[in-house]
């Protein structure tokens, strides 16, 4: 079964996905944000950073998730009402702890992949002598593999995305409301000022990630 997922992963590399192609040319740390509304009206968000360093920053610093209401039951809100409707849903949104993964995902191969990228030690760069250029290249390749694997696992299973802090489900969204969601990296480091995404959502209109 794991071999099957490995081939699926290789295929995804061949065809390419937006976050993977962005990783190859990433200069400025950014992120992409997507949404869906389930048939029962649940709002689900999923996002991806565009590089390993940005992903690592998010693991330690977390994300801030905010929501603004644009209209309610078909009635648009005024500018003042929209400003007052702003709520912060999460202030430090982080991946599950290492111990919690086994509790929440006792038998999920995608979860195993994501957990491994987050917590398993990297054994590819054990040195037997002075570091060489090849060691640096090996580390870079290992980091890129971790980055690709965690985003791949998150794309395959939304619950895994949530556990890896690459997805979020809003339990307080109401039917027949229009919102704007914003997700941004919880940091004051100017290097990551563009790691922010916003997306409009209409809970009356089911969509799919």
């Amino acid at each position: 079964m794991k071999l099957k997922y490995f081939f699926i992963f290789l295929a995804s590399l061949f065809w390419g996905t937006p976050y993977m192609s962005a990783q190859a040319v990433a200069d400025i740390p950014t992120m992409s944000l997507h949404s869906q509304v389930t048939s029962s009206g649940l709002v689900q968000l999923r996002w991806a950073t565009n590089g390993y360093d940005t992903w690592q920053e998010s693991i330690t610093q977390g994300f801030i998730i905010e929501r603004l209401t644009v209209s309610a039951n078909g009635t648009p809100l005024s500018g003042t009402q929209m400003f007052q409707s702003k709520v912060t849903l999460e202030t430090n949104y982080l991946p599950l702890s290492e111990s919690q993964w086994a509790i929440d995902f006792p038998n999920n191969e995608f979860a195993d992949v994501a957990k491994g990228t987050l917590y398993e030690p990297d054994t590819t760069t054990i040195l037997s002598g002075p570091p060489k250029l090849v060691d640096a290249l090996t580390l870079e390749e290992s980091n890129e593999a971790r980055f690709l694997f965690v985003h791949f696992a998150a794309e395959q299973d939304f619950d895994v995305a949530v556990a890896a802090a690459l997805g979020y489900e809003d339990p307080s969204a109401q039917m027949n409301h229009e919102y704007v969601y914003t997700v941004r990296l919880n940091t004051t480091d100017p290097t990551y000022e563009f790691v922010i995404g916003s997306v409009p959502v209409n809970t009356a209109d089911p969509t799919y990630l």
Side-chain angles (χ1 to χ4, degrees), residues 92-107:
N92 190 30
Y93 193 62
L94 293 165
L96 289 182
S97 65
E98 184 174 5
S99 59
Q100 194 64 37
W101 280 90
I103 296 172
D104 289 7
F105 300 97
N107 187 27

Side-chain angles (χ1 to χ4, degrees), residues 12-168:
S12 72
L13 288 179
F14 179 78
W15 286 313
T17 58
Y19 64 78
M20 290 178 184
S21 59
Q23 157 66 6
V25 296
D27 292 320
I28 300 175
T30 60
M31 65 177 288
S32 58
L33 175 64
H34 306 279
S35 67
Q36 79 169 9
V37 179
T38 68
S39 57
S40 59
L42 284 174
V43 175
Q44 296 178 335
L45 307 175
R46 193 174 70 228
W47 56 88
T49 62
N50 74 327
Y52 173 81
D53 290 340
T54 309
W55 171 56
Q56 284 295 296
E57 184 77 4
S58 74
I59 292 172
T60 57
Q61 300 300 318
F63 287 98
I64 296 171
I65 304 174
E66 299 169 324
R67 186 188 70 206
L68 190 76
T69 303
V70 177
S71 71
N73 298 313
T75 302
L77 272 62
S78 67
T80 299
Q81 289 173 321
M82 281 192 284
F83 178 79
Q84 294 173 341
S85 74
K86 181 180 177 179
V87 294
T88 301
L89 301 169
E90 296 285 344
T91 58
N92 190 30
Y93 193 62
L94 293 165
L96 289 182
S97 65
E98 184 174 5
S99 59
Q100 194 64 37
W101 280 90
I103 296 172
D104 289 7
F105 300 97
N107 187 27
N108 184 314
E109 290 185 293
F110 292 124
D112 292 342
V113 169
K115 177 188 174 185
T117 66
L118 289 163
Y119 296 112
E120 288 183 7
D122 189 341
T123 59
T124 62
T125 55
I126 296 176
L127 303 179
S128 58
K132 302 175 183 178
L133 177 59
V134 67
D135 298 318
L137 293 175
T138 302
L139 177 60
E140 182 179 357
E141 291 168 356
S142 175
N143 289 343
E144 184 173 351
R146 284 176 178 267
F147 170 81
L148 294 178
F149 269 107
V150 72
H151 284 82
F152 169 74
E155 187 173 277
Q156 303 307 307
D157 188 320
F158 182 75
D159 289 336
V160 171
V162 171
L166 293 171
Y168 178 78

